[in-house]
């Protein structure tokens, strides 16, 4: 059955056909109708869309993070935005590529050449190359409808998000699209803690980077055989006895809507030309090399950045091919604005009628601008480092040494310090209180703990093990919403989703996530870990502290008051060192539903005064090790009080701040203050 569809409608129906179950986005021309179409379809009883979760998020970052939480729970997700919205979502997207996904994620980013309704003429293909994320670039609504299903398959095959990048004329043009049967749809598998796989730590990022690079090479190879990339008019050499074949010497490389324009003039293709259509990135280099074989000149027809052009120039350089590449860089094509049917036709016509060979080596060196010679940073007087007289180099080195002063004394070797929350850290009490409350009151409900960026990410370490996800600043609150939505789609409607966030991160990007949760009726527990400072970066002030960078008084913004003003009704405020009170506060929130919050207020040890250290009464200590196994405070160790004696807990008085949390853990009353 064929249906007349706008490009954005085709993308929406293509995503539903592919089994998308979570759809988020922020409106922006030319992308808006994608999500609107799915919302309209959701009103049709029994439709796939009616079973999906759909929301307009508070911004593109929140939309992407929520979808990331769902994609980490195995759901196929779609996030929609325009190109400038990608700037807002770039923080989570860049990191998510390193973290990976288990359900397919397509980020539909509509570019706006012209621009017609945007501040910039950004090219999302370039963003994809920069972010190391594959990009699918459809040329028509029909192609977009088919391509999005492939985009999900590629996303799941490589476990990474992918971008679908239509441009205005693909989004807003109409075409008759063949509607195909729905593809099989799997319910989300649900969130799997998978040994910290979803927490982005530097060593994970390093390993992921290697995998990403390997994946990009494989994808580039695979894309050479993908239907979105086409080589048209390539002729096999004549066999003996056959009529001689006129080998094309001119090539036209194009992609996106420019391909559709070009084909208006090139169908049938003249015998002297062949055509390369590029619909995916990483660039299909093998196919492009086949295209370049035997050509003298290539005209590149594309909108926005010279992305295809640059790739072809690079390929020619690597393979030492003497081919003139004409496009934006050569001044043959406009470097701004939209392409149009007439302008593309004019350029192609002119290209096919003429053939001008300009070889850079034929130009006199004097004609090159001075900047070419000085591009290395050397004075134009020297073309390379080898031409600089040794005396001049020695003088420059001596001058640099004088300017930088005497070398600093060698630093002593640093002690090995495992990544763990400090002794006396208030976050230890907060994590412990939540963990214990979940153990006692969750009654078998699945609990997932989303973390955020800050020293409290270390709450993921044993024995606390309280951070299941960490993506980027402010993402904990939104990821918790996504995981909760995916669990609900799986049929688990009572999952407990906690979102931990520090005070500085709360002000950085946490607030929009709360607005999103309240507006979209989420079911999560927000846990603010307020330690009265920006601890991880060196105790800088933030808006909740009442002083500014100069130490002068500033308006002190109350975190509980902000949360309340955002519409959260159930809010608790507790001292993380008072475990019993905190336990009851968390219990009361577990028993409620909707968006609720608890604010733990306790100072970082770097800004608070240490009291007398605690000590262990070895006569009472049974050596049960509960204080170690439950808390993981680095001040507590276990060792024999004398050679061969039974193991007892020991508190290091240098490290212990006297916070007293361990006193509440010990069931034998063996830990007390210094006066014990
Ligand atoms: S009182 Fe206990 S938990 Fe607190 S710092 Fe000292 S040893 Fe660690
Ligand atoms: S101090 Fe208490 S909790 Fe720690 S090992 Fe001794 S008895 Fe067990």
């Amino acid at each position: 059955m064929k249906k007349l569809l706008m490009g954005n409608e085709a993308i929406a129906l293509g995503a539903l056909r592919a089994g998308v179950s979570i759809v988020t986005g922020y409106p922006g021309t030319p992308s808006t109708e994608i999500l609107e179409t799915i919302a309209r379809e959701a009103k049709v009883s029994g439709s796939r869309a009616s079973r999906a979760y759909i929301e307009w998020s508070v911004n593109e970052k929140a939309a992407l993070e929520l979808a990331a939480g769902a994609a980490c729970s195995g759901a196929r997700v779609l996030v929609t935005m325009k190109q400038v919205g990608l700037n807002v979502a770039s923080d989570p997207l860049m990191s998510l590529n390193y973290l990976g996904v288990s359900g397919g994620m397509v980020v539909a980013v509509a570019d706006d050449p012209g621009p017609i309704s945007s501040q910039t003429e950004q090219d999302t293909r370039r963003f994809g190359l920069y972010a190391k994320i594959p990009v699918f670039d459809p040329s028509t609504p029909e192609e977009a409808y088919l391509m999005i299903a492939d985009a999900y398959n590629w996303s799941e095959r490589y476990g990474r998000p992918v971008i679908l990048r239509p441009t205005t004329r693909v989004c807003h043009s109409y075409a008759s699209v063949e509607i195909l049967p729905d593809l099989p749809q799997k319910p989300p598998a649900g969130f799997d803690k998978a040994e910290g796989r979803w927490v982005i730590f530097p060593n994970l990022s390093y390993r992921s980077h290697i995998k990403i690079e390997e994946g990009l090479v494989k994808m580039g190879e695979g894309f050479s055989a993908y239907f979105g990339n086409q080589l048209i008019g390539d002729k096999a050499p004549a066999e003996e006895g056959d009529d001689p074949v006129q080998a094309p010497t001119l090539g036209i490389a194009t992609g996106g809507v420019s391909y559709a324009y070009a084909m208006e003039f090139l169908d049938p293709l003249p015998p002297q030309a062949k055509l390369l259509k590029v619909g995916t990135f990483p660039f299909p280099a093998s196919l492009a090399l086949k295209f370049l074989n035997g050509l003298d000149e290539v005209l590149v027809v594309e909108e926005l950045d010279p992305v295809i052009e640059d790739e072809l120039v690079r390929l020619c350089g690597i393979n030492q091919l003497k081919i003139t590449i004409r496009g934006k860089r050569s001044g043959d094509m406009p470097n701004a604005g939209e392409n149009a049917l007439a302008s593309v036709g004019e350029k192609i016509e002119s290209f096919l009628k003429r053939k001008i060979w300009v070889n850079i080596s034929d130009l006199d060196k004097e004609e090159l601008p001075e900047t070419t010679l000085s591009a290395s940073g050397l004075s134009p007087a020297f073309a390379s480092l080898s031409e600089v007289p040794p005396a001049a180099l020695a003088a420059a080195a001596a001058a640099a040494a004088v300017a930088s002063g005497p070398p600093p004394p060698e630093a002593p070797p640093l002690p090995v310090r495992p990544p763990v929350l400090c002794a006396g850290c208030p976050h230890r009490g907060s994590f412990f209180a939540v963990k214990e409350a979940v153990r006692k009151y969750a009654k078998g409900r699945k609990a997932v703990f989303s973390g955020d960026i800050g020293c409290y990410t270390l709450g993921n370490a044993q024995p606390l093990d309280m951070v299941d996800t960490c993506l980027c600043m402010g993402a904990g609150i939104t990821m918790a919403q996504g995981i909760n939505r995916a669990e609900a789609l799986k049929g688990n409607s009572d999952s407990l989703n906690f979102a931990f966030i520090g005070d500085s991160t709360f002000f950085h990007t946490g607030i929009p996530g709360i607005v999103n949760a309240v507006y979209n009726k989420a079911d999560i527990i927000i846990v603010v870990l307020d330690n009265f400072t920006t601890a991880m970066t060196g105790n800088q002030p933030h808006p909740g502290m009442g002083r500014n960078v100069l130490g002068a008084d500033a308006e002190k913004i109350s975190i509980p008051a902000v949360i309340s003003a955002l519409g959260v009704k159930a809010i608790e405020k507790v001292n993380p060192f008072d475990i019993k009170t905190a336990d009851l506060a968390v219990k009361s929130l577990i028993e409620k539903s909707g968006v609720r919050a608890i604010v733990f207020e306790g100072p970082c040890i770097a800004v608070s005064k240490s009291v007398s250290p605690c000590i262990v009464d070895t006569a009472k200590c049974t050596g049960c090790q509960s204080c170690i196994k439950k808390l993981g405070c680095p001040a507590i160790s276990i060792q024999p009080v004398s050679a061969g004696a039974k193991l007892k807990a020991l508190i290091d008085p240098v490290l212990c701040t006297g916070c007293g949390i361990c006193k509440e853990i010990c069931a034998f009353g063996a830990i007390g203050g210094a006066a014990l």
Side-chain angles (χ1 to χ4, degrees):
M1 180 190 58
K2 286 208 165 194
K3 237 180 170 179
L4 184 67
L5 295 176
M6 185 203 270
N8 281 343
E9 292 173 325
I11 292 168
L13 296 189
L16 287 170
R17 170 179 170 256
V20 70
S21 59
I22 301 260
V23 185
T24 62
Y26 188 79
T29 306
S31 71
T32 310
E33 298 84 359
I34 302 173
L35 194 141
E36 283 182 339
T37 301
I38 295 177
R40 194 179 66 222
E41 291 288 316
K43 291 179 186 149
V44 179
S45 164
S47 66
R48 268 197 174 178
S50 67
R51 297 189 295 273
Y53 173 74
I54 309 157
E55 73 166 42
W56 278 133
S57 304
V58 68
N59 62 33
E60 294 85 351
K61 180 179 183 297
L64 201 131
E65 291 161 354
L66 193 148
C72 293
S73 309
R76 278 199 165 180
V77 302
L78 174 68
V79 192
T80 73
M81 63 192 71
K82 66 182 293 181
Q83 90 282 13
V84 285
L86 184 57
N87 301 341
V88 182
S90 62
D91 189 18
L93 184 56
M94 298 280 290
S95 300
L96 186 65
N97 196 33
Y98 280 71
L99 202 60
V101 291
S102 58
M105 172 185 265
V106 174
V107 185
V109 185
D111 279 358
D112 180 17
I116 297 168
S117 55
S118 304
Q119 311 91 305
T120 65
E121 272 203 294
Q122 287 169 227
D123 193 321
T124 297
R125 296 175 304 167
R126 189 72 93 197
F127 182 96
L129 291 170
Y130 161 64
K132 303 180 189 297
I133 294 174
V135 177
F136 288 74
D137 186 16
S139 56
T140 62
E142 302 99 302
E143 192 178 28
Y145 177 79
L146 295 172
M147 229 179 205
I148 193 162
D150 295 324
Y152 279 111
N153 289 336
W154 283 82
S155 170
E156 284 171 4
R157 192 177 310 158
Y158 287 91
R160 311 273 162 206
V162 305
I163 293 173
L164 181 85
R165 173 263 192 185
T167 53
T168 305
R169 302 298 165 185
V170 174
C171 292
H172 286 168
S173 61
Y174 278 82
S176 181
V177 178
E178 179 73 36
I179 301 298
L180 300 170
D182 281 349
L183 295 166
Q185 185 180 35
K186 284 184 296 185
F191 185 80
D192 177 2
K193 299 197 179 205
E195 292 172 359
R197 152 152 194 213
W198 308 112
V199 180
I200 193 150
F201 271 123
N203 64 351
L204 171 74
S205 301
Y206 170 72
R207 281 182 277 124
S208 287
H209 190 182
I210 294 170
K211 278 194 194 154
I212 288 169
E213 296 293 351
E214 289 168 353
L216 288 173
V217 172
K218 280 190 193 149
M219 278 185 232
E221 285 163 9
F223 281 154
S224 281
Y226 176 60
F227 92 92
N229 300 308
Q230 297 280 335
L231 174 53
I232 303 169
D234 196 36
K235 297 179 182 71
E239 304 241 332
E240 219 177 299
D242 288 352
D243 288 340
V245 173
Q246 186 189 357
T249 56
L250 300 178
I252 293 173
T254 182
V257 76
S258 300
Y259 163 75
Y261 294 157
M263 289 311 286
E264 294 284 330
F265 302 96
L266 297 171
D267 191 10
L269 204 60
Q272 77 270 33
K274 53 180 164 176
L275 183 139
L276 176 70
K277 171 190 182 286
V278 180
T280 60
F281 298 85
F283 195 64
S286 304
L287 189 71
L289 261 182
K290 220 171 151 199
F291 162 73
L292 290 171
N293 183 30
L295 296 183
D296 291 336
E297 278 188 66
V298 173
L299 178 71
V300 187
V301 185
E302 60 189 323
E303 286 177 324
L304 301 174
D305 285 3
V307 178
I308 298 173
E309 184 180 344
D310 286 355
E311 293 284 357
L312 290 175
V313 168
R314 197 170 61 89
L315 263 189
C316 288
I318 291 169
N319 295 283
Q320 299 175 23
L321 301 175
K322 207 170 172 185
I323 301 170
T324 300
I325 307 293
R326 299 190 173 280
K328 293 166 188 284
R329 299 231 182 256
S330 63
D332 288 273
M333 297 299 288
N335 59 11
E338 262 196 313
N339 283 341
L341 191 62
S343 64
V344 167
E346 209 174 278
K347 295 287 181 187
I348 288 175
E349 200 178 52
S350 142
F351 173 70
L352 291 179
K353 278 188 189 155
R354 69 186 178 141
K355 187 179 173 201
I356 306 163
W357 178 256
V358 179
N359 191 333
I360 192 102
S361 61
D362 294 340
L363 295 174
D364 277 339
K365 212 175 181 188
E366 284 75 25
E367 286 179 27
L368 294 174
E370 194 174 76
T371 49
T372 308
L373 289 175
S374 60
S376 64
L378 286 169
S379 156
F382 306 114
S384 77
L385 200 60
S386 61
E387 290 179 22
V388 182
L393 277 179
V402 169
S404 58
E410 208 167 285
L414 290 172
V416 177
R417 190 168 180 244
V420 64
L421 294 168
C422 304
C425 173
H427 301 332
R428 181 171 285 104
S430 310
F431 283 126
F432 178 75
V434 175
K435 184 172 186 168
E436 280 297 287
V438 167
R439 185 180 64 79
K440 289 192 274 185
Y441 313 119
K443 296 181 182 150
R445 293 165 71 184
K446 180 175 180 178
V448 180
F449 309 105
S450 292
D452 219 300
I453 304 284
C455 48
Y456 51 94
T457 313
L458 295 171
N460 86 316
Q462 296 291 350
L464 293 171
D465 190 17
M466 287 295 284
V467 177
D468 295 327
T469 71
C470 180
L471 180 63
C472 67
M473 295 283 281
I477 294 172
T478 31
M479 282 191 85
Q481 295 167 52
I483 294 167
N484 184 270
R485 299 290 182 191
E487 287 289 336
L489 284 174
K490 189 196 166 196
N492 176 18
S493 56
D494 67 352
S495 80
L496 275 172
N497 293 90
F498 290 84
F500 292 91
I501 186 164
D503 41 351
S504 190
T505 310
F506 175 89
F507 289 111
H508 180 277
T509 32
I511 294 170
I514 303 176
V515 178
N516 198 71
V518 174
Y519 171 60
N520 287 302
K521 295 189 168 67
D523 184 10
I524 58 166
I525 300 175
I526 298 160
V527 185
V528 183
L529 306 172
D530 186 358
N531 61 358
F532 314 151
T533 187
T534 313
M536 193 157 101
T537 50
N539 300 301
Q540 293 79 14
H542 62 62
M545 291 172 60
R547 64 180 171 82
N548 66 17
V549 66
L550 301 175
D553 286 350
E555 187 70 33
K556 185 173 176 174
I557 299 171
S558 155
I559 292 175
V562 171
I563 297 173
S564 171
L566 296 178
V568 179
K569 303 283 184 297
I571 305 172
E572 300 282 346
K573 198 169 91 170
V574 289
N575 175 354
F577 301 114
D578 182 354
I579 301 293
K580 288 190 182 74
T581 310
D583 180 86
L584 294 175
V586 179
K587 176 178 185 277
S588 79
L589 295 183
I590 287 174
E591 288 164 355
K592 294 186 171 76
S593 61
V595 184
R596 54 266 202 231
I598 181 164
V599 182
F600 284 96
E601 293 182 341
C604 170
I605 58 157
V607 297
S608 64
K609 249 179 130 182
S610 188
V611 294
S612 304
C614 284
I615 57 171
V616 177
D617 181 343
T618 50
K620 290 183 182 170
C621 176
T622 64
C624 71
Q625 302 188 27
S626 283
C627 50
I628 293 176
K629 289 182 181 160
K630 289 185 176 174
L631 278 185
C633 173
I636 313 177
S637 58
I638 189 103
Q639 43 193 280
V641 278
S642 60
K646 200 174 167 204
L647 294 173
K648 305 273 181 175
L650 186 79
I651 291 179
D652 182 338
V654 177
L655 289 177
C656 177
T657 65
C659 77
I661 299 174
C662 56
K663 275 164 75 175
E664 300 204 33
I665 306 287
C666 179
F668 302 96
I671 302 177
L676 189 80

